[in-house]
Amino acid sequence: MLQQHGEVQVRAGVEADLPALTDLYNHYIRETSITFDLEPFTPDQRRPWLLSHPQDGPHRLLVAQEATERTKNPHNGPAHGLSAGPAAPGPGHPAGTLLGYATSSAFRPKAAYAPSVEVTVYCAPDAAGRGIGTLLYKALFEALADEDVHRAYAGITQPNEASTRLHTRFGFRHIGTYTEVGRKFDRYWDVAWYQKDLG
């Protein structure tokens, strides 16, 4: 799965993305309350998370990256393991700068929760305002349309107006707020929960 959007490509995440994905997520751990993880990860520590998102099924990992000149032109053939066609990149180092990623993950471990997923999107700090989150969610929900997924949920640490706008644009509605549910940076944070009906 590879979609071209001008200067940005959206595709399935692969093992070679792990260092860049880890760096991006660690920024949000260190600098923000968006995630409630408190300690940065190494790529090896983050590998089980990556492997829990195969390239098909309801639990997906999509990445957005800068398109390179080679990947923009399908006649040039693959570059660094990245195919310009619909096939996913190989194990080689991906071409282009990572701009963000989106996931759909298991909502809860018990079997009856299987038709529900928790979704999230993270954009590189210097990619804000470029519509990366919109591109990622569009591709993610297109991929989930053929899966047995009934509901998508997103937890948004408050305040986060940009994330609230993004989720509302994609048809999520606010269904409740956990007040002071997490503690980070010596303060308590609320998490608002949003739901999108998929089937």
Side-chain angles (χ1 to χ4, degrees):
M1 169 194 202
L2 188 149
Q3 298 182 21
Q4 187 87 20
H5 302 276
E7 301 299 312
V8 179
Q9 293 176 331
V10 176
R11 59 169 176 77
V14 294
E15 180 97 8
D17 296 311
L18 193 53
L21 288 166
T22 304
D23 286 346
L24 174 54
Y25 188 61
N26 282 343
H27 162 80
Y28 285 97
I29 293 174
R30 288 189 303 265
E31 305 295 332
T32 77
S33 61
I34 288 174
T35 174
F36 282 179
D37 278 312
L38 300 177
E39 297 295 331
F41 289 88
T42 66
D44 281 345
Q45 290 171 326
R46 200 73 171 137
R47 184 169 282 107
W49 164 84
L50 183 138
L51 296 176
S52 71
H53 297 89
Q55 292 188 17
D56 57 9
H59 304 144
R60 304 283 184 107
L61 165 63
L62 300 181
V63 301
Q65 69 177 46
E66 294 278 6
T68 65
E69 286 306 315
R70 180 171 288 274
T71 58
K72 283 187 230 175
N73 185 348
H75 301 293
N76 287 336
H80 307 294
L82 179 62
S83 169
H93 183 72
T97 302
L98 185 78
L99 301 173
Y101 70 89
T103 60
S104 57
S105 304
F107 180 65
R108 292 287 186 272
K110 294 181 180 178
Y113 284 114
S116 296
V117 294
E118 184 173 349
V119 297
T120 191
V121 62
Y122 286 90
C123 295
D126 56 357
R130 293 182 53 184
I132 303 302
T134 298
L135 290 177
L136 284 163
Y137 261 2
K138 182 176 183 294
L140 180 64
F141 290 119
E142 285 174 0
L144 293 179
D146 295 328
E147 301 294 340
D148 181 21
V149 178
H150 187 58
R151 295 285 187 266
Y153 294 93
I156 304 173
T157 305
Q158 298 299 297
N160 189 335
E161 292 180 12
S163 185
T164 299
R165 282 195 307 271
L166 175 67
H167 287 85
T168 301
R169 190 179 319 125
F170 275 89
F172 284 81
R173 69 183 189 280
H174 181 240
I175 55 170
T177 299
Y178 293 166
T179 61
E180 297 189 355
V181 67
R183 185 172 62 200
K184 188 172 183 179
F185 304 140
D186 296 320
R187 63 163 284 189
Y188 289 96
W189 301 90
D190 297 349
V191 174
W193 282 92
Y194 286 76
Q195 175 179 300
K196 177 179 175 66
D197 300 345
L198 296 175

